[in-house]
Amino acid sequence: MTQTNPTVSAEWLFQHLDDPQIAIADCRFSLADPELGQHQYLHNHIPGAHYLHLNRDLSSPVQRHGGRHPLPDLELFAQKLGAIGVTSPEVLLVVYDDSRFAFAARLWWLMRYLGHDRVAILDGGFKGWQAAGYPVTDAIPRSNLGTFSPQIRPDRLVDIETVKTRSPLPEVALIDSRERDRYLGNQEPIDPIAGHIPGALNYPWQEVTDENAQVRPHSDQVQRWADIAGSEEIIVYCGSGVTACVNLLSLEMAGIPNAKLYAGSWSDWCSYQIEDSSPNP
């Protein structure tokens, strides 16, 4: 079996459900109700899918700095990947959510960061799977006994110091993935400070898919990034390093595969701004 595209269709996945070289991860989640996704999973999910929780599995506990969704502890995360069946480089991990890739893309990026290229997002998400009439189940699959061995690609990740020193350079494009109003500072429903990192350009992550969570055509992805395609370096952020991964997926589809994630994102940037503005005791 060969599969190199960053997305797969519901039809393709249905035809390959019994393939032993495929693992499936359900990443449904709601920021407003963090337990909703797992409750939905327990009610019904794609046969064979394991559930990975954004806060507990795809992130580590929040600290003073590092943002609202720090990257997971890699040793623990590798154990979880082995348990859901990602036990060799040949295994294709198919990931899905019901939020236009918002959370599935986080897992997609993590896999690429850990050196596992055989990962794809389900086009149309869980709602598209259901709309096509494909089967669902409430049966929980058994955990696997294999192990996952990460091969970390550190060049795909940057911290706040790198953003401070690199983003002002003319050859570097800094991308803010949040909605336009949040980028402009007109509203900020989550973080304590509104606005954006100086010099950042706004490319809202929702533009990558249509309202049915179908990824927009390759030509649209290429056109979307045409203005910055010649940049020597591209750094992408969002509120907490989650939805920025949807833009990283889009960049890869457009043939720009080496963009980097500022994982702490705006929530990490804010934590230092608040600290700097606090009065001295």
Side-chain angles (χ1 to χ4, degrees), residues 10 15 28 51 67 84 89 99 132 161 188 201 213 221 233 240 281:
Q15 293 171 349
R28 284 177 287 174
Y51 184 74
I84 69 170
S99 303
E161 294 305 321
E188 181 45 66
L201 305 171
Q221 309 294 342
E233 185 176 6
S240 64

Side-chain angles (χ1 to χ4, degrees), residues 197-221:
I197 299 174
L201 305 171
N202 188 216
Y203 285 75
W205 66 272
Q206 296 93 337
E207 296 174 350
V208 178
T209 59
D210 63 21
E211 61 276 6
N212 295 316
Q214 295 286 335
V215 69
R216 297 189 186 279
H218 172 262
S219 58
D220 289 4
Q221 309 294 342

Side-chain angles (χ1 to χ4, degrees), residues 8-224:
V8 296
S9 68
E11 179 183 11
W12 187 94
L13 180 58
F14 175 69
Q15 293 171 349
H16 292 81
L17 279 181
D18 295 328
D19 191 325
Q21 292 291 71
I22 287 182
I24 307 173
D26 185 320
C27 299
R28 284 177 287 174
F29 188 80
S30 168
L31 293 173
D33 182 358
E35 301 311 314
L36 177 62
Q38 188 162 16
H39 290 159
Q40 292 172 325
Y41 169 80
L42 293 173
H43 177 65
N44 60 19
H45 52 265
I46 295 174
H50 296 260
Y51 184 74
L52 291 178
H53 191 283
L54 174 63
N55 291 348
R56 292 191 288 269
D57 299 318
L58 306 183
S59 308
S60 59
V62 176
Q63 306 293 327
R64 182 177 182 181
H65 299 299
R68 286 183 281 106
H69 292 104
L71 297 187
D73 177 280
L74 297 186
E75 182 176 349
L76 292 176
F77 186 56
Q79 293 174 8
K80 293 174 182 177
L81 291 173
I84 69 170
V86 188
T87 55
S88 78
E90 288 72 38
V91 171
L92 170 66
L93 177 61
V94 177
V95 302
Y96 70 87
D97 61 26
D98 60 359
S99 303
R100 296 177 67 172
F101 301 1
F103 308 110
R106 165 76 163 213
L107 179 52
W108 174 86
W109 181 86
L110 280 169
M111 299 307 297
R112 304 299 299 273
Y113 173 62
L114 297 180
H116 190 91
D117 288 334
R118 293 186 58 73
V119 56
I121 297 178
L122 178 63
D123 204 7
F126 187 67
K127 292 177 182 176
W129 176 272
Q130 287 183 301
Y134 294 126
V136 296
T137 183
D138 61 359
I140 308 300
R142 294 180 179 179
S143 294
N144 291 269
L145 299 177
T147 59
F148 173 80
S149 300
Q151 305 293 325
I152 298 173
R153 293 164 169 161
D155 59 336
R156 300 199 174 204
L157 184 68
V158 301
D159 59 13
I160 189 171
E161 294 305 321
T162 302
V163 174
K164 287 180 178 179
T165 57
R166 298 291 298 166
S167 63
L169 302 177
E171 65 270 22
V172 178
L174 179 63
I175 304 301
D176 187 315
S177 304
R178 297 170 301 160
E179 299 91 329
R180 186 72 175 171
D181 278 351
R182 289 184 71 191
Y183 166 80
L184 292 174
N186 295 334
Q187 63 169 334
E188 181 45 66
I190 304 175
D191 293 308
I193 298 176
H196 59 266
I197 299 174
L201 305 171
N202 188 216
Y203 285 75
W205 66 272
Q206 296 93 337
E207 296 174 350
V208 178
T209 59
D210 63 21
E211 61 276 6
N212 295 316
Q214 295 286 335
V215 69
R216 297 189 186 279
H218 172 262
S219 58
D220 289 4
Q221 309 294 342
V222 172
Q223 181 59 37
R224 185 167 181 255

